[in-house]
Amino acid sequence: MGLPLAINEVENRLYINGEFVPSSDGKTFTVKSPYSYEAVATVYEATENDTNRAVAAAKAAFPAWSALDPHERGAYLSRLATLVRDSHTELATLDALCMGRPVSSYFDAHYSANIYDHYAQAGFDAKGQTSLNTKGHMNFTLRQPIGVVGAIIPWNVPVVLFAHKVAPALAAGCTIVLKSSEKAPLSSLKLASLIHAAGFPPGTVNVLSGFGNPSGSMLSSHMDVRLINFTGSVATGRHVSAAAARSNLKKVILELGGKSPALIFEDADIEQASTETVMSMRLLSGQACIANSRIYVQKSVAPAFLAAFRAKFEDVKCGDPLDPATTQGPQADGIQFERINHYIALGNEAMGKTDAGAKQQQPPSTTNSRGNGNSKISGFFIPPTIFTSVPESAPSMRDEIFGPVVHINTFATEAEAVQKANDTEFGLYASVYTRDLDRAMRVARALESGTVGINCTSPTIAGDMPFGGYKGSGIGREGFGYSLDNYLETKSVLLRVRDE
Ligand code: NAD
C-alpha cells in the first residue's frame, strides 16, 4: 500500500534541550516492520552522555517552567492537543509500520489529544489545605512540583502512554525526559516534533530513543531525576524499582502487566459477554496489558459461551496493518512471535498434547508482501488461539503471554470463581458478567484488581477513574484527578500567629 507520509523525512534524531540532535557517538539502530520485515527507519540511540544531557536540560528548564502559572503552562498543552489531533494519520501510520498496529482500530491520537486538553486546565487543581487546629497557628500546605521526571514507555500504545506521562507532569510544573521503546520510537519522535512546533521552552520535554541499557537504566538511577514513571513488564519494573532505591530513592510509579480474569456466570447475557471478551482479546492482537486472557465460565453455560466466543474470535482478517480492512495485525516483532509460540507449546504440554493441541506457527516467510507484486502473506502473525481446561498451575495460565492466546476454564460456584480469579500475582483488570446485582457487587468487592468491570470488560476504562494495579501489576494510580498528585510534593508550612 502507498504510505501517507514520506518515511525518509520522518524524524530519527534525539530531542534534547529543544533541538533534534544525533546521538553523541553517532550510534543508530534499525526498526523493522513486523509485517514486511523491511527496514522502516534507522534511529539514533541515546547514549549515557545523551541521557545525562537530557536530564541536565530538564533540570535547567525546571525553575522557569515551574514558575509559570497554570494558564501559561496550559496554553502550551492546548496547542499540543490540536497538533496531536491533526496528526492522527501520521501517528497511526508510524505505529503500523513499527509494530504492526492496524490503522483500522487506531484511536490513540484523538484519545491522547483529549488528555492534553484535560491537563491544559488541570494545573489549577494543585492546591493545598489550611488548618486552624494547632493553637496559635494558621497552618497550610503547599503543593509543589517534584522536579525532573523520568518516563519510560513500552511499544504497544506509545502515543497514549506518552500523553499519560507527559501531560500531568507538565501541568504540575515538572520537566521531563521520556525514553520510548526501541520497538516503536517513531511516533514518540513525531510527538517531539509537535512539542517543538507548540513552542515549549527548550528542555521542558526531552525525548530519547534507545534501549533499556544504557538509557532506561540510567534514567531510573539518575541522581537528578526525582520521579520515575514506568510502564512495561513486571521484570523490567523490578529493575527500575531497584535502581530507584539504590540511587536517590526517587519516587516510583509502576504500571505493569496483567493476566486479567473475566467471570461469566450462568445468568449473564452470553451474546454480550462473548462479544466483549473477544474485543478485549483482539485489541492490539492480544498485546494489551488489560486483555482478559483468563476467562472462567460457569459450567452450565460453558458450551454455549465457548461456541459464541470461538465464532467471533476466529473471525479475523489478518493482513497489512496499513490496510483499513485488516482487523488483526502481526505481533510486534520476532521476539514477541517466539515468546507467544513458546507459551502455546507450554499450554499443549500442560494438557499432555503434542500435535493435537493449539497450533504453533512456523517461522514466517521472509518474502515481503508490500510493493513487489507478491501476494503471499508475510508477517509475524499468530492466529486467535483458545485453550480450554489447561490446569491452573500451568505456566501459560499463570504468565502474561501478550498475544491472541486465551484460556477458557470453568467453575461451579461463586466462591470457586473468585478463588481462581485471584490466584495470580497480577491484579490489573477483572470482569464479572451476571444479571444478579448482589452477586456483581460481592464479586467486585472480592476481586483483587485495580479495575473491575461489571458487565463490561477492557478496553473499557474511564478517564476520570483511577487506573493501576493491585499486587504485581504495579504501584500507584494514574487518571484524571489522580495523576497530578503523582508529580507534586506536599510541604507543611507552620505559621505562628501572635495574640494581640
Ligand atoms: P518491557 O518491560 O520489555 O520494556 C518497557 C520499556 O522499558 C522499554 O522502553 C524498554 O526499553 C525499557 N527497559 C528495558 N529494560 C530496562 C531497564 N533495565 N531499565 C529501564 N528501562 C528498561 O515491556 P514491553 O515489552 O515494551 O511492553 C509490554 C509490557 O508492558 C507488558 O507487560 C504489558 O502488560 C505492559 N504494559 C502495561 C500497561 C499498564 O498500563 N499497566 C500498559 C501497556 C503495557
Side-chain angles (χ1 to χ4, degrees):
M1 300 198 63
L3 290 180
L5 52 80
I7 194 70
N8 54 353
E9 288 170 17
V10 168
E11 186 55 66
N12 68 344
R13 294 168 292 175
L14 311 170
Y15 187 60
I16 300 176
N17 202 25
E19 285 181 336
F20 284 99
V21 291
S23 50
S24 52
D25 63 0
K27 198 170 166 196
T28 58
F29 63 99
T30 301
V31 182
K32 285 189 177 169
S33 157
Y35 175 66
S36 69
Y37 318 131
E38 292 167 345
V40 174
T42 301
V43 176
Y44 283 101
E45 178 188 340
T47 61
E48 287 190 18
N49 187 15
D50 298 320
T51 310
N52 269 329
R53 284 201 305 123
V55 173
K59 191 176 176 184
F62 177 71
W65 180 254
S66 57
L68 295 180
D69 77 31
H71 264 140
E72 293 169 309
R73 290 199 292 266
Y76 290 100
L77 288 165
S78 291
R79 282 201 289 278
L80 181 59
T82 304
L83 292 167
V84 170
R85 208 169 268 120
D86 291 347
S87 303
H88 167 89
T89 305
E90 202 167 339
L91 291 166
T93 304
L94 294 174
D95 282 345
L97 288 171
C98 289
M99 42 96 172
R101 177 84 185 274
V103 294
S104 60
S105 55
Y106 199 79
F107 59 87
D108 306 35
H110 292 285
Y111 185 90
S112 58
N114 290 343
I115 295 175
Y116 295 112
D117 269 338
H118 171 82
Y119 285 102
Q121 308 297 325
F124 284 100
D125 295 338
K127 282 188 288 208
Q129 296 173 319
T130 61
S131 166
L132 294 174
N133 294 334
T134 304
K135 207 169 174 185
H137 281 253
M138 290 173 67
N139 297 335
F140 56 94
T141 60
L142 296 177
R143 309 298 316 280
Q144 292 174 294
I146 199 164
V148 174
V149 170
I152 301 174
I153 60 172
W155 46 268
N156 64 337
V157 269
V159 170
V160 169
L161 294 174
F162 192 111
H164 273 307
K165 311 293 183 209
V166 167
L170 293 178
C174 296
T175 53
I176 187 162
V177 179
L178 178 140
K179 191 197 83 64
S180 62
S181 165
E182 61 276 19
K183 294 185 189 178
L186 297 187
S187 53
S188 291
L189 290 174
K190 174 67 190 172
L191 291 169
S193 74
L194 300 181
I195 281 164
H196 193 75
F200 281 84
T204 312
V205 184
N206 305 272
V207 179
L208 303 176
S209 312
F211 292 78
N213 286 308
S215 189
S217 53
M218 263 201 84
L219 272 184
S220 315
S221 58
H222 204 291
M223 294 301 285
D224 287 334
V225 172
R226 295 294 165 195
L227 181 158
I228 186 86
N229 189 334
F230 171 81
T231 299
S233 65
V234 173
T236 311
R238 286 185 207 279
H239 287 297
V240 168
S241 189
R246 275 198 303 270
S247 53
N248 58 353
L249 271 176
K250 57 179 66 63
K251 190 174 172 181
V252 178
I253 311 279
L254 300 176
E255 299 282 359
L256 308 178
K259 190 80 175 176
S260 300
L263 309 183
I264 320 292
F265 284 88
E266 59 191 0
D267 64 343
D269 179 335
I270 298 295
E271 183 54 27
Q272 179 205 356
S274 57
T275 301
E276 293 180 359
T277 48
V278 163
M279 211 158 68
S280 172
M281 282 309 300
R282 180 164 298 160
L283 181 74
L284 314 175
S285 307
Q287 302 166 133
C289 55
I290 49 182
N292 50 219
S293 52
R294 289 184 299 144
I295 302 180
Y296 296 102
V297 192
Q298 202 152 20
K299 280 182 180 147
S300 54
V301 292
F305 177 84
L306 185 60
F309 185 94
R310 188 183 294 282
K312 293 168 193 159
F313 192 40
E314 292 177 352
D315 180 21
V316 284
K317 184 171 182 311
C318 294
D320 188 341
L322 288 170
D323 182 347
T326 295
T327 57
Q328 184 180 320
Q331 307 310 130
D333 66 1
I335 300 172
Q336 279 291 115
F337 179 84
E338 294 301 334
R339 178 186 161 86
I340 298 165
N341 258 337
H342 169 70
Y343 276 108
I344 291 175
L346 289 178
N348 284 331
E349 196 179 300
M351 292 194 302
K353 292 181 181 173
T354 46
D355 50 20
K359 281 204 177 64
Q360 278 184 272
Q361 297 307 298
Q362 296 303 312
S365 151
T366 49
T367 330
N368 84 60
S369 59
R370 190 179 295 129
N372 64 357
N374 186 339
S375 62
K376 185 171 169 46
I377 282 215
S378 62
F380 292 112
F381 286 100
I382 303 270
T385 303
I386 302 171
F387 277 111
T388 55
S389 315
V390 169
E392 294 292 315
S393 58
S396 70
M397 192 71 188
R398 305 202 70 79
D399 297 352
E400 183 184 46
I401 299 178
F402 225 52
V405 181
V406 65
H407 287 72
I408 303 182
N409 279 1
T410 59
F411 65 88
T413 63
E414 182 180 314
E416 184 190 351
V418 170
Q419 183 275 325
K420 285 180 166 170
N422 285 342
D423 183 18
T424 170
E425 276 305 308
F426 293 107
L428 196 57
Y429 198 115
S431 294
V432 48
Y433 282 86
T434 176
R435 288 188 171 97
D436 178 338
L437 184 60
D438 286 328
R439 174 158 58 202
M441 298 306 281
R442 277 194 309 273
V443 172
R445 187 177 57 198
L447 288 168
E448 297 165 354
S449 181
T451 298
V452 175
I454 297 178
N455 293 323
C456 63
T457 185
S458 62
T460 304
I461 49 172
D464 64 343
M465 299 292 283
F467 182 80
Y470 270 39
K471 305 195 280 191
S473 284
I475 297 174
R477 293 292 180 272
E478 296 188 298
F480 300 166
Y482 297 86
S483 290
L484 201 69
D485 271 355
N486 291 333
Y487 301 94
L488 296 169
E489 285 284 16
T490 302
K491 181 185 288 171
S492 292
V493 182
L494 310 180
L495 172 67
R496 174 163 294 151
V497 179
R498 290 198 194 91
D499 291 333
E500 277 186 289

